[in-house]
Amino acid sequence: GIHCPSLHAGIDTGQVPVRKKSSLSFLSDYRLNMESGDNSSTAELMSRYVSLELGYGVPKDGWRICLAHEFKEKRKPFQAKDVSLSNIVEHIGLGVRYLKWWYKKTQIEKKAPFIDMFRAIPLRQIYGAPLGGIGGGTITRGWRGEFCRWQLNPGMYHYKTVIANQFTVCLRRGGQTVYQQVLSVERPPTLQGWNWGYCGEYAFYHALYPRAWTVYPLPGQNVTLTCRQVSPVIPHDYQDSSLPVAVFVWDIENKNDYPLDVSIMLTMVNGSGHKDDKSGGHWNEPFHLEKAGESVSGVLLHHCTTVNPYTLCMAAREQSDREISHQTAFSPKGTCGVLWGDLIADGRLDSPTGSSPPTQKGEKVAAALAVGCPVPAQGHNDLEFSLAWDMPNITFGSREREHVRRYTRFFGTKADAAPSLSHHALTHYRLWERSIEEWQRPILQDSSLPSWYKSALFNELYFVVDGGTVWTELPEDSDVSGGLRSEDGGLPAQPAIIKEYGRFAYLEGQEYRMYNTYDVHFYASFALIMLWPKLALSLQYDIAGSVVSCDLTERLHLMSGRNSPVKVKNVVPHDIGDPDDEPWQRVNAYLIHDTADWKDLNLKFVLQVYRDFHLTQDTQYLQDMWPICQAVMESEMKFDTDGDGLIENSGYADQTYDGWTATGPSAYCGGLWLASVCVMCKMARLVNNEAAFQRFRDILDRGSAAFDKLLWNGQYYNYDSSGQDLSNSVMSDQCAGQWFLRASGLGDGQFQAFPKEKICSALKSVFDLNVMSFAGGQMGAVNGMRPEGVPDHSSVQSDEVWIGVVYGLAAIMIHEGMLEEGLRTAEGCYRTVWERLGMAFQTPEAYCEKGIYRSLAYMRPLSIWAMQLALDTSQPRDQAPKTTTTPTDQAPQTTTTIQTATEGEPGQKESQDQGHIP
């Protein structure tokens, strides 16, 4: 294909001149910064670190921060009070209806709203990498070491720091304890018998997900501890990646001329800081498990709630020079001086036998596990801990059905798997790390990629695990076909890929509690299809089944004030449900708009179907999806009201920008439409349906002509064709259709929807205006920009930056040969979120230039993996791809085959993805 040259001039808008020189000069500076490895913002995060120690085996790339760092900028969440007066007047009906609905939901039904406009989560600039694999629940640790964000009940979060959950170090010399310290900078009002207040200037945190390191040079001791946190998040692995477990490896460097005995103690409360910690009936017990010549010991913490009970498990592997000891139960209130004194006396705990009595209502119980080892003078040793949580059987908020998590296929459903999970983790984590390193190495060693990008690419993946994610087995009585069977052109009742690889769902955001929100998944889906393609296809089969189903129950939609069905046939759902209700069974938890009339959902399904086929070469998938694609495109035809081959928006916010009105043909939806029609032409050829090809070819020819005539202004595509005052705003997302064509190996020759030179011009306009004329070119691309170089303030979303949209924009820039512009555009978002605003591991949907953000921990930023796909496919053909993700259509040898897992011992890799791209 043709490639756009780097930006060489400003955009002549005929209005106020834009910054012609700033784009050129910045790109020149950007090249110099890349060559010199500019890490100025990272340096600021580490500016208070006073030690010279860099830790044991800590990688160069990643997100690094001193534990004493304080973020200067404190932002507030967007709430109802932040809506402008003009928008309040326009949406007063919505406000009244939402208030009534909110009151009924929270005060009468005692449920959490799927979006709470009155109680947004306040920004806590504390989060680090989450613990655990995919779909088994998550526990997030902060970058200062706290256990502070919990999602054990599926999809439901609470944000509570459990202060008693800590690591403590004890150093002994010649049989005497010389140093004992809680490895926390906190000084809490409780547990006063412990030595708190570790000096944060003597520690730093480094994240390269799914691993993280914390380095503690112990002041005055000539000893450095490096805690490595490992979670089993492994691309193309569908067994160990499902496990609810993490490992902590403590590397101990003794730089003294004498040996030391070193113990590390982990303390954990039986619970998660939730009120049910005091509900009574919880109990702890020690355990020992020997299997295959390896033994582990630890403590089980049985959390016996009525709904979704679980067991926490702290464990360590027994080795000849390691001493494992425990305290089965202690009360995590008062001074806890007895436990502290127990450790300080001899570096070990008393290790009583037997279980603790069940707690009384109103009391909590905790446990402790200590592991000790000798460390020679000028030498090194290490200690290992695992933390597992076993909640195999789950119910969602409605309590109507019981589901079993994916990991139960390998570890059983009897809620007794915590010891086996711990044993497996402690004996396999080095294999996990080897797989992780092999996956990440080609990117980390690519000197042409900037360091911030490597951090962003891997660390944004946290959301695949910590997006309220569930991964369940398909119940034997489930029918995902939507009632239309395969013999009638529908789907199998139980598609093989779902039966084998399970059902997968993740939230739109931790604050926007809807599973598999499809207009947003469109952006985020690149992470799944590139790294866990079976999960991506499983999700698509679920959506396809929902397409042909319906729920004609009438309900009030809050924007229009009209009643309409929950779900009509042959349209893509907005989402597959609320975890506080019954996902998959009741879809479309979103009730602000009636999304049956949204213009983008059907198109995004079609585009993903072909993109997924292109990357997997799964012909069965294409055959199964083809009739569903025909059905949703037929439904979409009604939006072409004048028959010119181009759909029209309906004068309200009828697409993913659900607060930004579009009228008539628009750049965003019109572009998605043309790309979808182009893809239908390609798929028609692949399934040998010449009649469909000719039909869609005709629509594409007429629609492309109408698109150019109605929206092209000589420089870019206008926001819409309404002719209103702001219809010529520059939308950052105007090339979304071309982005997906390029990601699917299309966009040229017979399968081209947009003239290449117009796409290049539009992208240059976006870079010069939405990026470089916004916030000094330092914050990514604003959604809407006026041609005179000021943001479009006409809606609550047009003057926001959507991080996931920016990563997608960067991807199409890279596809079109604008590598430096693409990297520069995306860098602004990474620097803003991770280094300025303190939003690590909670990347929001949006922020404005000043003051506010919206919807923390959001799905869409996973679209950064589209950048990697663009980098891979934009290389010369004789180079090997940097990641193992992207075959071409001419690669039938990569056809995905369904692999049948055999029952076996945990640890067998029968569920490795056999069909991923070599």
Side-chain angles (χ1 to χ4, degrees), residues 518 536-544 605 608-609 612 621 625:
Y518 202 72
L537 300 190
S538 172
L539 188 157
Q540 285 287 85
Y541 274 97
D542 264 327
I543 293 294
F605 178 80
Q608 287 185 75
V609 164
D612 296 349
Y621 169 73
M625 294 298 134

Side-chain angles (χ1 to χ4, degrees), residues 479-498:
D479 181 349
V480 305
S481 68
L484 183 64
R485 294 303 177 90
S486 53
E487 57 267 25
D488 300 317
L491 300 169
Q494 294 205 338
I497 201 159
I498 300 184

Side-chain angles (χ1 to χ4, degrees), residues 751-781:
F751 301 105
Q752 177 180 336
F754 311 95
K756 299 176 184 65
E757 65 278 5
K758 291 181 178 177
I759 290 293
C760 290
S761 177
L763 291 173
K764 290 173 185 176
S765 299
V766 169
F767 183 74
D768 208 42
L769 288 162
N770 302 60
V771 180
M772 296 308 300
S773 296
F774 174 74
Q778 301 293 317
M779 294 182 73

Side-chain angles (χ1 to χ4, degrees), residues 637 645 673 677 694-704:
M637 294 289 182
W673 163 256
V677 174
Q694 293 298 339
R695 182 188 183 208
F696 286 107
R697 181 75 252 177
D698 173 66
I699 295 171
L700 181 59
D701 291 341
R702 292 184 293 111
S704 295

Side-chain angles (χ1 to χ4, degrees), residues 376-567:
Q378 299 296 331
H380 162 270
N381 211 337
D382 60 63
L383 300 170
E384 304 163 336
F385 291 80
S386 66
L387 178 64
W389 48 100
D390 183 25
M391 184 194 285
N393 309 299
I394 56 174
T395 58
F396 292 106
S398 74
R399 314 284 181 247
E400 293 175 21
R401 303 195 63 171
E402 186 173 271
H403 305 260
V404 297
R405 297 194 194 261
R406 166 71 176 180
Y407 76 88
T408 62
R409 175 174 293 214
F410 318 108
F411 287 88
T413 61
K414 296 180 180 179
D416 60 358
S420 294
L421 283 165
S422 302
H423 187 283
H424 184 76
L426 288 165
T427 56
H428 286 76
Y429 79 88
R430 294 190 186 278
L431 294 175
W432 300 344
E433 290 195 281
R434 192 178 308 158
S435 296
I436 291 166
E437 288 166 359
E438 289 173 358
W439 157 49
Q440 294 183 337
R441 186 180 299 116
I443 294 170
L444 298 179
Q445 291 183 350
D446 188 339
S447 60
S448 71
L449 297 175
S451 182
W452 69 263
Y453 171 77
K454 298 169 185 177
S455 173
L457 184 71
F458 293 115
N459 285 325
E460 290 287 11
L461 266 181
Y462 85 94
F463 195 84
V464 170
V465 166
D466 208 11
T469 310
V470 287
W471 187 359
T472 65
E473 294 288 277
L474 182 65
E476 290 185 4
D477 61 348
S478 288
D479 181 349
V480 305
S481 68
L484 183 64
R485 294 303 177 90
S486 53
E487 57 267 25
D488 300 317
L491 300 169
Q494 294 205 338
I497 201 159
I498 300 184
K499 198 169 181 180
E500 180 53 42
Y501 293 97
R503 271 181 154 169
F504 174 86
Y506 59 159
L507 297 174
E508 179 177 336
Q510 291 181 12
E511 295 191 81
Y512 286 14
R513 212 183 54 249
M514 296 158 281
Y515 272 135
N516 294 350
T517 299
Y518 202 72
D519 56 301
V520 182
H521 171 69
F522 174 75
Y523 296 81
S525 61
F526 284 87
L528 284 184
I529 195 59
M530 293 173 69
L531 301 175
W532 293 276
K534 299 297 194 299
L535 296 184
L537 300 190
S538 172
L539 188 157
Q540 285 287 85
Y541 274 97
D542 264 327
I543 293 294
S546 181
V547 164
V548 297
S549 67
C550 63
D551 178 355
L552 300 181
T553 306
E554 295 274 322
R555 68 174 178 184
L556 178 70
H557 286 94
L558 301 178
M559 182 67 77
S560 66
R562 294 191 292 269
N563 287 306
S564 50
V566 172
K567 170 71 174 62

Side-chain angles (χ1 to χ4, degrees), residues 179-343:
Y179 181 86
Q180 187 162 300
Q181 173 72 50
V182 182
L183 294 170
S184 169
V185 300
E186 301 292 335
R187 296 181 181 272
T190 58
L191 306 173
Q192 289 291 302
W194 297 8
N195 185 26
W196 294 90
Y198 184 86
C199 181
E201 283 86 355
Y202 282 90
F204 71 86
Y205 177 84
H206 185 97
L208 188 66
Y209 189 76
R211 298 191 293 172
W213 294 256
T214 310
V215 178
Y216 301 92
L218 303 180
Q221 304 304 311
N222 230 11
V223 171
T224 297
L225 307 178
T226 302
C227 177
R228 185 168 82 256
Q229 171 184 307
V230 184
S231 292
V233 182
I234 305 163
H236 307 292
D237 176 284
Y238 298 88
Q239 175 174 322
D240 283 13
S241 288
S242 73
L243 303 183
V245 66
V247 173
F248 302 95
V249 182
W250 288 85
D251 286 292
I252 307 159
E253 297 174 273
N254 177 14
K255 300 184 180 180
N256 294 292
D257 293 329
Y258 47 82
L260 291 169
D261 292 307
V262 180
S263 299
I264 302 285
M265 178 177 71
L266 172 60
T267 50
M268 292 288 293
V269 172
N270 186 328
S272 61
H274 193 268
K275 62 183 179 181
D276 66 21
D277 291 2
K278 294 183 178 181
S279 61
H282 311 314
W283 58 285
N284 303 340
E285 62 173 331
F287 80 94
H288 170 85
L289 175 64
E290 182 176 354
K291 186 165 60 173
E294 294 278 3
S295 296
V296 298
S297 298
V299 184
L300 301 171
L301 294 76
H302 301 293
H303 197 74
C304 303
T305 49
T306 304
V307 177
N308 296 339
Y310 61 91
T311 296
L312 287 167
C313 178
M314 302 182 290
R317 187 161 62 100
E318 295 183 0
Q319 300 176 71
S320 58
D321 62 344
R322 307 291 192 277
E323 183 173 21
I324 302 173
S325 58
H326 69 270
Q327 181 54 258
T328 308
F330 69 92
S331 174
K333 65 179 183 180
T335 64
C336 282
V338 173
L339 179 72
W340 188 261
D342 187 8
L343 183 67

